[in-house]
Amino acid sequence: MSDRIRILLVEDDSNLGYILREYLQVHDFDVDWVKDGEKGLEAFKTNIYELCILDVMMPKMDGFTLAEKIKNHSSSVPLIFLTAKALKIDKLKGFKIGADDYIVKPVDEEELIARINAIIKRTVGIKEVDQANSFEIGTYYFDYENQVLIRGNKRQTITIKEADILKQLCLKKGQILDRETTLKALWGESDYFNRRSMDVFISKLRKYLNEDANVKITNVHGRGFILDIQE
C-alpha cells in the first residue's frame, strides 16, 4: 500500500489542471484530477483522499457547493480553494465552509506545495497518531463514526462538529486541547465567529455529559479545554 498522500484536484481549466497535477506528482503526491464539481463529488465518494483542492468557479457545481457536500460527507478532510477572485467576501465564505487555505490565481506552484505540506503536517499527522473511533468517557460510551453518546439505555445523537471536537478531547484526555489548533483543523480559520461556534459546541457537550459527575470539560483561559475524567 502506498504511503503517498492522495489529493483530489477539481479544476475545469485544462491547462492549469494538467500543470498542477504534473507538478504535484513530481513532488510525490498521488493526484486524481477531474474537471467539474459533479465529477469531483463522485470521485470523493468513491475514493479516500487526504486533501482536496477545489476551483471555485466550475460548471455543473461550483467549488463552494462541492465543499459543503464534501464536508457533510467527511468533516475533517482538509480543503484548499483556488480562485481567480481575491474578494474578501469570497474568502470568508470559503473559510466558513471549512477551508484550510485559499489561493488566488495565477497559482505559484512552490507556494502551493508549501501550503499543502503545512496542512498535511497539521491534520494528517494528527490522524496517524490515533485512529480510534470509540471511547469510554466515564460512564458514557462515545461512538464517533455514528455520532452517538450512550449511557445505559440513553442514546444521544450529536452533530458532526460536536463529534469532531469530542473526539479531539478524548484523544487528548487529561491534556490541554489547544483552541487555536483545533479551530484551524476543524474550521480552517480562527476568527471571532468560529471561536463563538466552538464555545457553543463545548457548552452542548458539557450538557450531554453532565449526568456523570466525574466527567468535566474544563476551560483553560487563553489556551483551550481539558477533558478531565476522575477514575
Side-chain angles (χ1 to χ4, degrees):
M1 184 175 179
S2 173
D3 292 329
R4 285 156 60 109
I5 298 297
R6 190 172 187 182
I7 294 175
L8 173 62
L9 171 62
V10 190
E11 169 59 63
D12 68 319
D13 184 305
S14 295
N15 291 329
L16 179 59
Y18 175 81
I19 290 169
L20 290 180
R21 181 184 63 183
E22 295 300 304
Y23 194 83
L24 290 168
Q25 287 177 340
V26 166
H27 285 77
D28 295 325
F29 295 104
D30 285 333
V31 183
D32 291 344
W33 169 37
V34 296
K35 296 183 179 180
D36 66 62
E38 288 184 357
K39 290 180 181 176
L41 182 60
E42 182 180 342
F44 185 81
K45 289 181 175 180
T46 303
N47 304 293
I48 296 174
Y49 297 100
E50 281 77 28
L51 185 140
C52 300
I53 302 174
L54 312 177
D55 184 25
V56 172
M57 300 300 293
M58 293 187 295
K60 297 183 180 180
M61 184 189 298
D62 65 79
F64 290 141
T65 302
L66 174 58
E68 289 176 334
K69 292 181 180 294
I70 285 174
K71 284 293 186 180
N72 286 335
H73 193 270
S74 178
S75 63
S76 61
V77 65
L79 302 178
I80 295 177
F81 281 117
L82 300 178
T83 180
K85 297 190 294 183
L87 297 177
K88 182 178 180 180
I89 189 170
D90 287 323
K91 287 188 177 183
L92 290 175
K93 182 176 181 180
F95 283 130
K96 286 178 181 178
I97 290 172
D100 290 77
D101 216 331
Y102 205 105
I103 297 177
V104 178
K105 299 177 183 178
V107 179
D108 182 308
E109 289 88 354
E110 290 185 4
E111 180 184 359
L112 176 61
I113 293 294
R115 294 193 184 196
I116 288 172
N117 285 332
I119 292 169
I120 294 298
K121 183 178 180 180
R122 185 179 75 239
T123 59
V124 177
I126 291 171
K127 291 177 187 177
E128 290 176 350
V129 171
D130 194 327
Q131 290 289 345
N133 283 316
S134 60
F135 306 87
E136 289 185 4
I137 309 172
T139 54
Y140 292 88
Y141 173 78
F142 171 39
D143 181 345
Y144 170 74
E145 288 189 339
N146 292 307
Q147 299 165 226
V148 175
L149 262 175
I150 301 171
R151 185 174 188 265
N153 295 323
K154 186 176 179 180
R155 296 171 62 91
Q156 174 69 56
T157 300
I158 63 179
T159 67
I160 291 174
K161 274 289 192 292
E162 290 166 354
D164 285 340
I165 294 170
L166 185 54
K167 179 175 180 178
Q168 294 306 313
L169 284 165
C170 289
L171 292 175
K172 298 278 287 185
K173 183 178 70 172
Q175 305 173 55
I176 295 176
L177 177 67
D178 184 76
R179 184 188 186 95
E180 297 301 308
T181 301
T182 305
L183 280 166
K184 289 176 181 176
L186 299 183
W187 274 270
E189 181 75 0
S190 175
D191 61 19
Y192 171 79
F193 296 104
N194 290 335
R195 289 194 297 272
R196 291 291 296 162
S197 294
M198 186 173 185
D199 289 341
V200 170
F201 290 129
I202 289 289
S203 294
K204 288 183 178 179
L205 289 173
R206 284 177 174 139
K207 289 179 181 178
Y208 299 150
L209 297 167
N210 68 2
E211 292 183 9
D212 188 338
N214 293 320
V215 177
K216 294 182 179 179
I217 300 175
T218 304
N219 180 35
V220 181
H221 184 69
R223 296 285 304 283
F225 305 92
I226 297 177
L227 176 61
D228 186 22
I229 304 172
Q230 299 296 323
E231 300 297 339

